[in-house]
Structure formats: C-alpha cells, structure tokens
Amino acid sequence: MPFPLKLNAFERYMLTDDCAAYPMSFFISLSLVGRLDPTAFTAALDTTLLRHPLLRARVAGPGGRRLQWVCSPCRLPWLDFAAAEVPMRFLCGFRIDLRRENGLRVWVRQGDGRGVVRFQFHHACCDGVAASQFIEDILCEYDRQQCANPGIPSVPRPLDTQSLHRRSRFGTGWRSRLWHRLILPWGVSVGTLRFFLRRPAPLRCSEFAGGPAGEYDESAMPELLTQRFTEAQLRRLLFAAGQNRVTLNTLVLRDLFLAIEAWNTLGGQQHRPLLRVMVPFNLRGPEHSQMSAANVVGMANVDRRLGAADPRLLLDSLGREMKFLRRFRLVATFSAALALIECLPGLKGVFQADRCLATAVLSNLGRIYDGTPLRRCHGKLVCGDLTVDAIDIAAPIRAGSRIACVLYTYAGELSLAMNCDARTFHPTTAKLFFDQLVEQIEQTACGRMV
C-alpha cells in the first residue's frame, strides 16, 4: 500500500489550477448496448479501485510540497444509478474537492436496452491514458463476473501499486537519466521564459453568432461536441500525414491553428496575435508499464503567429518542432518547470489569475483499448452481455483557454471531441466553430490542404 504518498509537481499544479468556475476535471462516457447489472458493476468498480490507489485517495496536509495522498475512508466514489430520462447532475457542484471526496464520480443511466456510464476524474489523480486503463480494468472485472464460459475470462493486465513512487521518473538506464539531467536546465529555463513572457490571444467568443453565452447552470453536466470520422477518412488522414512525414496529431494541430485563425479573423480581428495550443504528451516508458492510474504526462506549448500563412509551410514547421520535442524529450521538463514556479510566489499567482495561458488544448489519446483482453464485435468492446458502442471524452477547460479538443481512435473510427467554456460561448457559437474545425479536417482528408 503506497500511502501516505507525496503529491508530485504536476499533481500540485492541477490542484493550484483547480477552481469552482474552471475545475480540473475531465469526463469519459461509454454508450452501451445491453442491460448493465448494477450490482455486478458496483462490485467490479470496488475490486478495480484496489488496483488504482490514487482514485480511492484524498489529499491531506498544510499545502505546497507537504501535500500528501492518503487513503480515503470510503473506497467507493460517488455513484449515481437512475433511469435514462433522469438528467445527470452534480450533487455538490462541478468541482471535486479532493480533501473531502475521492477524485472520481460515476453516473449510470439506462433504459430500453441501452445505457450510458459517465466517469468524472480529477486531473490530479490521473491523465486520460490512465483513466482509459482504469475503465478497461472495470470492464474486464465485470466481464469476468458475467462471463458464461469461465474458461475464457478477461484477465486485467498485472499492476504494481508500489510503482506509483516512480511516476515522476523517466528512463530505465543511466544513459536516459543522464540525458534527462542534461536537457533539464535548458528546457526549464527557456520553456518557462517563453511560457510567461509571451501573451497568447484567446479564441474570440464573438457575439455575431448566437449572442452571449447566457445564464450558466452550475449543476448541469457540460455539453460535448463530437465528430466521428469514418475509417476511410482516417485512412486518408494517415496517408496525408505519412506523405508529409508528420504524425496524425501534428496534421490535426495544423488544422486547429488554421480554424482558430479563420475564426478570429471572421470576428473582425485584423492583426496577427500570438496563438498557442497546449499539447499534452504521454511520457510512459517501460518503467511505467505496470503502473496504476496516475499522471505521466508532459506539456508542449506550441506558439504561432499566422496571418496568411501557407498551410503546407505551417505543417512543415509544426512537424519539425514536434519531432524536436519528441526526440530530445523536452516535454519531460514540464514538471521540473512547475517545481521551479512553486518556489517563486509571483509566478505561482499567474496560474490563479484569469489570464489566457493557451488559446486551446489538443490532446491525442491514440488508439484507445487497443491491447485489451476483452472480446470484440465489429471492433467494439464486449463485456458480459454489453457492447461498448461509442466513447466520448471531454478534456478540462481553464480560464482563458476556451476550447479543449481530444483525438482518439476507437473501433476503427477517429473521434474529435471538443469541450468549450459555457460561460463565454453560446452553444450555437460553439457549434459553428466546431463545424468549421471539422470542415478544415475533412478538407485535409480530401487532399485539399496537403
């Protein structure tokens, strides 16, 4: 049992950036075909939490570097079962207070042979990759309980809860650790200066479409916009990425920059403001292969001033930058930069202000549930009598960063999900921007932008 366990720099940053108006929580929603057994699901959740300590923990301590994870007096999180027509609501507000409750909430709604399970995770507890692994473990345990043939149960992958002590360490050999120490001073100094000295412009929340955001309902679940690209469109996007020697993530990053620039220009913005997209990187290596749910993530802040930028030249420059960041693992210095900021009170206050630190966020979870032991039907996960028909993921929003996008591939389809700041965006306005972004990506899939 790893408790008590000190919070690392990234976890403390998630707590610092957490506030009632913009909680550092994200959602994963499973659309199910079949009838879920509430008793079996609760038992599967309870068993799975034994394997993932940070999702059954709370935060204690006076603050700062003395904060610790401690075992929660109640292992099960807040769990809400109801009929399909009952709205999903927050009982005690959107924000999860980790001093008073676990960093996980679960809603289950079902009726007429279909259902939805929605998970809310506090980002201090885990990242999107870990959350997907946690959900996979629940499905495996549920399948084991419901499987009619005990000879072929879905066995979850082995985990070592003690490996949580290594969640901030990168590299398995002395060469990797030495290289990390060599690039650390450069990445921290240059990256921190660029982050704070440059002022990115927010996405324009123009009232030319839909009017102002209107009254915000604190108890309502955030709305999510999702687009499913077909297998054929995914193949064409991957082909375009390969032709240009970039990743799919870089290709969509280029399209996001172009969509933001076009949107801001349409709203009347004529000068060339700095645009910044924050891109999370999964830093898991062999040393993390058996780790329980946690944050093993770095961040890259990609800045551009576009104007009438050539889409192909923009793609080339982004490709070079992303390759440089990956090759030299500069994103691994993000946590070290956060630790430095903690020592400087003036800089720490920046995170608690409402200023824009990034225009948008783009996260790519890749092919989710690719190596799972669960059975599949037409590429979709099957556990017991349930089929996971679709998955929706909503990334957190911070003040100033008015949209957060997530890319992931499930059952051969590429999904793009966008969460937006409901305090500043009218739903009609958010839908218009999302449609513009989708159209930009579809043009790329058709070969018009590459």
Side-chain angles (χ1 to χ4, degrees), residues 381-399:
L381 300 180
V382 176
C383 57
D385 296 330
L386 298 173
T387 300
V388 181
D389 188 49
I391 299 172
D392 295 289
I393 302 174
I397 296 286
R398 85 169 306 278

Side-chain angles (χ1 to χ4, degrees), residues 157-408:
R157 60 193 178 88
L159 290 180
D160 176 16
T161 58
Q162 294 299 323
S163 66
L164 288 173
H165 294 285
R166 300 195 301 270
R167 66 195 188 284
S168 302
R169 301 175 195 167
F170 307 106
T172 54
W174 67 268
R175 289 185 179 87
S176 296
R177 290 193 291 270
L178 177 61
W179 178 245
H180 181 69
R181 290 181 180 276
L182 288 174
I183 67 168
L184 193 62
W186 189 89
V188 169
S189 58
V190 175
T192 304
L193 285 173
R194 287 183 59 182
F195 185 75
F196 286 107
L197 293 180
R198 292 183 170 185
R199 294 292 184 96
L203 185 71
R204 186 178 179 87
C205 52
S206 175
E207 298 182 7
F208 69 88
E215 187 175 350
Y216 179 72
D217 187 352
E218 297 280 355
S219 65
M221 198 74 70
E223 293 294 328
L224 183 65
L225 295 167
T226 304
Q227 172 69 25
R228 317 277 186 207
F229 298 95
T230 65
E231 290 188 52
Q233 286 176 314
L234 175 57
R235 283 196 300 271
R236 290 197 292 267
L237 287 169
L238 290 171
F239 178 76
Q243 273 194 322
N244 289 274
R245 298 181 181 179
V246 298
T247 64
L248 175 63
N249 196 50
T250 303
L251 194 65
V252 176
L253 175 63
R254 189 279 308 267
D255 287 346
L256 178 58
F257 268 116
L258 292 175
I260 293 172
E261 174 69 14
W263 178 265
N264 283 358
T265 302
L266 183 62
Q269 204 172 74
Q270 299 301 323
H271 64 289
R272 296 174 57 199
L274 178 74
L275 302 179
R276 172 179 293 162
V277 177
M278 183 176 283
V279 183
F281 277 75
N282 179 15
L283 296 177
R284 286 168 176 78
E287 66 273 28
H288 307 113
S289 61
Q290 294 188 2
M291 183 173 291
S292 302
N295 285 292
V296 188
V297 64
M299 297 282 187
N301 295 292
V302 185
D303 295 352
R304 288 294 185 277
R305 294 185 189 272
L306 297 186
D310 185 312
R312 292 172 179 81
L313 294 178
L314 175 60
L315 182 61
D316 288 343
S317 71
L318 289 172
R320 289 192 298 271
E321 181 171 350
M322 299 302 276
K323 285 176 184 176
F324 177 77
L325 292 171
R326 283 194 302 271
R327 180 178 181 183
F328 295 102
R329 291 180 65 83
L330 290 177
V331 290
T333 64
F334 181 75
S335 292
L338 294 175
L340 172 65
I341 292 167
E342 284 183 310
C343 301
L344 303 172
L347 290 181
K348 184 178 178 181
V350 173
F351 287 111
Q352 298 169 330
D354 289 339
R355 61 165 285 197
C356 176
L357 296 179
T359 311
V361 177
L362 176 63
S363 178
N364 188 355
L365 300 180
R367 295 182 176 273
I368 56 177
Y369 306 108
D370 229 21
T372 176
L374 288 163
R375 293 164 288 141
R376 291 182 183 270
C377 179
H378 303 295
K380 297 179 179 180
L381 300 180
V382 176
C383 57
D385 296 330
L386 298 173
T387 300
V388 181
D389 188 49
I391 299 172
D392 295 289
I393 302 174
I397 296 286
R398 85 169 306 278
S401 300
R402 290 170 177 154
I403 61 166
C405 299
V406 183
L407 277 176
Y408 51 96

